[in-house]
Amino acid sequence: MKYSSQRVAYWFFAVCMLLFSLQLVYGFLMGFAHIGYDGLHDLIPFNVARSTHTNLLVMWLLAGFMGAAYYIIPEEADREIISIKWAYVQLIAFVIVGVTAIVGFHFEWWEGRKFLEIPRPLDYLVVVDVLLFIGLIGGTIWKGHRYTTTSIVLFFGLLTAALLYLPGMINTDHQTHDSYWRWWVVHLWVEGVWELIMGAIMAYLLIKLTGVDREIIEKWLYIIVGFTFLSGILGTGHHYYYIGTPRYWLMIGGVFSALEPLAFLGMAIYALAMAKKGGKSSTNRTALLWTLGTAVMSFVGAGFLGFAHTLPQVNLYTHGTLVTAMHGHLAFWGAYACLVLAIITYSMPYLTGRKLADTSTNIFAFWTSNIGMVSMTIAFGVAGIAQVYLERKMGLDFLLVQKEIEVHFFGLILAASLFTIGIIAFVYNFIRFGAPVGEVRGAE
Amino acid sequence: MLSKSQAKAFFLIGTVGFSLIFVGLTVDTFQRIPEQTNQKNMTAEVVRGKHLFEQKNCMGCHTILGEGAYYAPELTKVFERRGEAFIKAMLKDPDSMYPGQRRMTNYNFSDEEISDLTAFLKWIGTLDLNGFPPKPDLVRSASPTATGDTSLEQVVLKTEDRPLVFNQMCVACHSLNGQGGTVGPALDNIGSQRDITYLTKWLKDPMAIKPGTTMPKLPLSEEDIAELSAFLSSLKGSR
Ligand code: HEM
Ligand code: HEM
Ligand SMILES: [Fe+2]
């Protein structure tokens, strides 16, 4: 660790671990509800569990991105964060807003719009909090001694992510408009600006872990994120096929979204190539493992499984079925969850000063959680394909089909248990690192 | 090979260019939405229903326009599928309509709220969704609009000759020719088991005949009941 203000990252990561663990509990609640054990229905009905599950996911990923930025930016910009005090204020405010939202869901204080359930008054607080965060990061880069491509791309990604939160706050009386703007947030986040954040964090990790020349890595960073936008912006059209919008979206959305996997493929090839090229025998091989895991699993989950249902002819049948849940899980896991776990794995030895980098616990966590998540994806996938055939192609009743595919949810719960064991190992490893008292090297 | 500054230019030009195209398409789309979605039929009732749908987070269990959760039936075409009376009864007391099944929250809606939600569901069913939801192409469903084109369908499913209420309400719980729900018994042979007087009485109030039965007293008119009991007594195990 070069600067003492990087320490604030530790607390963001600790919040990540906590919210992530809670997210899994709600996942199990829904898994059991699908096989008929909905004993908590009166307390936590399915829609409460679902909003909590997905919002905790988004929150802990954002906390991870923020922590990553607080860790990376001082090093890249070569100075302390402009105000440590405000960074802690920003963290505490984030946690308070997040917890209020989650508790509120349990009392039906929400907007029933998938992924954007946070009620309006809290939306404004989110905006204020994120502005503070952007100000702190931007100010640090501005006053820093060095402008690197990595920090600029990271900043641009965070800034546009903040801006794209706003379309989700447009009030409308029309279901089609509602859905139209919702995708500006949901799609343009995960298949647009979050990929910038991902690209920048990956670039940083690869520079540190492989020792390949910064110029080469950053050049590829531009090409990949350039490709992301080239395909991803008009690729939004793959959500405008069947919501009451014009037919031309079938063509536009189909063509451009079909190109989106290339950005993920590019990212995977580039990460693997850099890792191979780098001669540096890394001191933190587990962090490299998580980094390459991100590269590969994001291609499989987002690129490959996204492509599998993105063409309008296929999507007509799979739209709004468990096939979507299959893709959603592996894509979020591969691209963003693994990424946050990679930066945590990389930074913890520096933040805490304990050399627990290549512990067998973390390596176990990597393999167990990944195998678990792939199995979960298979379970969702089989259930989803069966649902598509029985319900959409044969015309059987929804509930009858759900009975038919119940067994796959049993499989899902088994796979999720394996996955959870992996995550418990990761969290345990995190706790073992202890408090952030790592030595500060200072500017070189 | 590209230099770093060329790569940067590629990124900037691509991003700005495609963002502008996207904004242009958005403007065009918003001009076309009113016609494609029958916006003129979006009454105050529909709008209230939409906001109620959102406030209660129905999307947290159901999908609508194919968006939402995968725990409960897709609602875009529910008005056509089940009809007004069924939906109203469902919203009044969800547990009675699907006894012993996956549970829906009972919201204790007022009658006005129920008609708002129903109006919303009716309107949403009239949108031009470019072909979604697809008509089952392997076997046609027992839906009122199904038309048998192929010989297979002629044999398996002839649904046009059934009363509309039957296709909307009764198939939610009963099957006929293997199509429909499993909450109640299959009705293929009911005509040999029960006579028309019994059936009429049963449909008027199942509880009166069999206290404690899980078949609810459905919102049926006199004509519906007469039509249904005549239809049911004709079901004698034949196709
Ligand atoms: C890391 C990147 C990605 C993540 C995290 C992700 C996640 C998700 C999630 C959560 C949904 C469900 C959204 C909702 O219904 O509100 C979804 C839907 C979808 N995704 Fe992705 N996705 C990613 C990338 C991609 C890519 C690259 C493609 C195409 C090649 C793709 C194609 C689709 C399609 C077609 C749907 C709509 C499914 C439906 O009609 O129900 N996704 N994605
Ligand atoms: C213990 C492990 C988990 C279980 C049992 C689980 C289960 C579920 C279930 C049952 C649903 C709801 C599907 C429906 O609407 O019927 C769901 C939704 C979702 N979960 Fe999980 N989950 C788990 C972990 C995760 C993780 C680790 C992630 C992210 C990396 C994740 C991301 C999501 C997303 C994005 C959705 C929304 C999907 C969509 O709308 O298409 N889940 N989960
Ligand atoms: Fe998308």
Side-chain angles (χ1 to χ4, degrees), chain B residues 64-84:
Chain B
I64 190 151
L65 304 181
E67 293 175 15
Y70 319 121
Y71 188 64
E74 180 22 269
L75 291 182
T76 313
K77 294 286 180 197
V78 72
F79 193 87
E80 176 186 321
R81 183 168 70 236
R82 298 285 185 234
E84 181 159 354

Side-chain angles (χ1 to χ4, degrees), chain A residues 174-385:
Chain A
H174 195 306
Q175 188 69 24
T176 301
H177 292 180
D178 217 327
S179 167
Y180 195 93
W181 295 122
R182 192 176 75 84
W183 290 114
W184 276 46
V185 189
V186 179
H187 172 97
L188 290 178
W189 265 12
V190 298
E191 290 158 67
V193 297
W194 280 25
E195 280 184 60
L196 254 64
I197 300 171
M198 172 184 173
I201 296 177
M202 293 267 286
Y204 174 84
L205 287 168
L206 289 171
I207 290 168
K208 296 288 168 176
L209 291 169
T210 67
V212 173
D213 185 43
R214 180 184 280 272
E215 284 301 301
I216 299 177
I217 290 191
E218 291 186 339
K219 178 176 94 184
W220 281 102
L221 177 60
Y222 270 132
I223 295 176
I224 288 169
V225 296
F227 212 83
T228 299
F229 280 154
L230 204 106
S231 57
I233 296 176
L234 292 182
T236 318
H238 66 179
H239 304 292
Y240 298 159
Y241 297 155
Y242 308 121
I243 61 165
T245 40
R247 226 185 158 78
Y248 57 64
W249 285 113
L250 267 66
M251 186 70 179
I252 298 171
V255 169
F256 283 91
S257 70
L259 296 174
E260 282 179 43
L262 291 178
F264 287 96
L265 182 64
M267 191 96 78
I269 293 175
Y270 139 96
L272 291 172
M274 296 302 156
K276 211 167 152 203
K277 191 167 169 177
K280 197 162 156 187
S281 85
S282 172
T283 46
N284 193 339
R285 299 198 61 79
T286 323
L288 188 60
L289 191 61
W290 278 105
T291 308
L292 299 181
T294 311
V296 173
M297 296 310 270
S298 65
F299 171 65
V300 179
F304 179 70
L305 293 181
F307 183 78
H309 65 154
T310 202
L311 296 177
Q313 297 85 338
V314 179
N315 194 257
L316 178 63
Y317 289 95
T318 59
H319 183 45
T321 63
L322 289 161
V323 171
T324 309
M326 156 197 83
H327 154 71
H329 276 88
L330 200 64
F332 260 115
W333 167 253
Y336 302 120
C338 283
L339 178 73
V340 169
L341 301 186
I343 184 82
I344 292 179
T345 302
Y346 169 77
S347 60
M348 283 302 277
Y350 302 111
L351 286 169
T352 61
R354 294 190 66 186
K355 303 263 169 294
L356 285 171
D358 289 319
T359 55
S360 51
T361 326
N362 198 341
I363 295 170
F364 170 82
F366 176 84
W367 290 108
T368 314
S369 58
N370 271 292
I371 294 170
M373 183 49 85
V374 169
S375 319
M376 282 171 63
T377 308
I378 294 171
F380 269 124
V382 176
I385 293 167

Side-chain angles (χ1 to χ4, degrees), chain B residues 152-168:
Chain B
L152 174 75
E153 286 161 10
Q154 292 291 345
V155 180
V156 179
L157 282 174
K158 262 175 73 184
T159 58
E160 319 84 273
D161 54 355
R162 303 173 179 179
L164 181 64
V165 251
F166 187 88
N167 281 333
Q168 290 184 329

Side-chain angles (χ1 to χ4, degrees), chain A residues 34 62 245 253 330 375 413 431:
Chain A
H34 266 280
L62 288 178
T245 40
L330 200 64
S375 319
I413 287 174
I431 293 169

